[in-house]
Amino acid sequence: MIFIDYQDRRPIYEQIVERFEKLILTGALEADSQLPSVRQLASDLSINPNTIQKAYTILEKEGYIYPVKGKGNFVNGNLSLKQKKKEDCIQRLAQLLHECKEFGVTAAEAINLVEHIYRKAQI
């Protein structure tokens, strides 16, 4: 479910946050499903439990998960998170396309590139 890339320069907790965000937003983790306990995930990944706790705290602040006292952390079923990520993605694409236009990439070239890259994307 979660793996750590030790070649990645980002901190481990950021990698964990990103992996859980993707699992939640793609529906791989369903609403109200329980996440592994901090101790269990730390043991599985052979990392410090404080790292997992930091990742879970960030996920909770961003609205991806919610805690239940004495039971653990659960996936939030809030669909607005997915919509917000989609809007952020479109905004980043718009910024990139604006930059491409500044450097002389035509609309036809941009459309062809986007279609080509989109088809190659592993979804």
Side-chain angles (χ1 to χ4, degrees):
M1 173 171 35
I2 298 290
F3 65 93
I4 303 301
D5 179 1
Y6 293 100
Q7 303 301 318
D8 193 329
R9 291 182 173 211
R10 293 176 303 147
I12 292 172
Y13 76 90
E14 285 182 9
Q15 293 182 49
I16 294 168
V17 168
E18 179 185 288
R19 300 295 193 295
F20 273 117
E21 284 177 352
K22 285 187 179 177
L23 289 170
I24 291 168
L25 292 174
T26 60
L29 288 176
E30 296 179 5
D32 300 319
S33 62
Q34 188 171 10
L35 296 180
S37 71
V38 170
R39 286 185 183 163
Q40 181 62 50
L41 189 55
S43 174
D44 292 348
L45 297 175
S46 299
I47 59 176
N48 190 313
N50 292 334
T51 303
I52 304 298
Q53 186 58 53
K54 185 172 184 175
Y56 278 9
T57 299
I58 292 169
L59 288 165
E60 181 183 347
K61 284 181 183 176
E62 292 180 357
Y64 287 96
I65 64 173
Y66 63 93
V68 174
K69 208 165 199 72
K71 298 212 181 237
N73 293 289
F74 295 82
V75 174
N76 189 347
N78 189 344
L79 295 176
S80 67
L81 291 171
K82 188 170 186 174
Q83 183 62 32
K84 183 182 181 321
K85 276 290 193 184
K86 184 177 177 180
E87 290 169 4
D88 290 346
C89 183
I90 291 170
Q91 180 63 34
R92 288 193 319 269
L93 180 59
Q95 289 171 345
L96 284 172
L97 289 171
H98 179 73
E99 188 175 330
C100 288
K101 185 177 180 181
E102 287 178 345
F103 290 109
V105 177
T106 67
E109 289 173 325
I111 290 168
N112 287 335
L113 284 169
V114 168
E115 286 178 346
H116 176 73
I117 293 168
Y118 193 84
R119 274 189 245 113
K120 286 180 62 176
Q122 294 181 3
I123 298 174

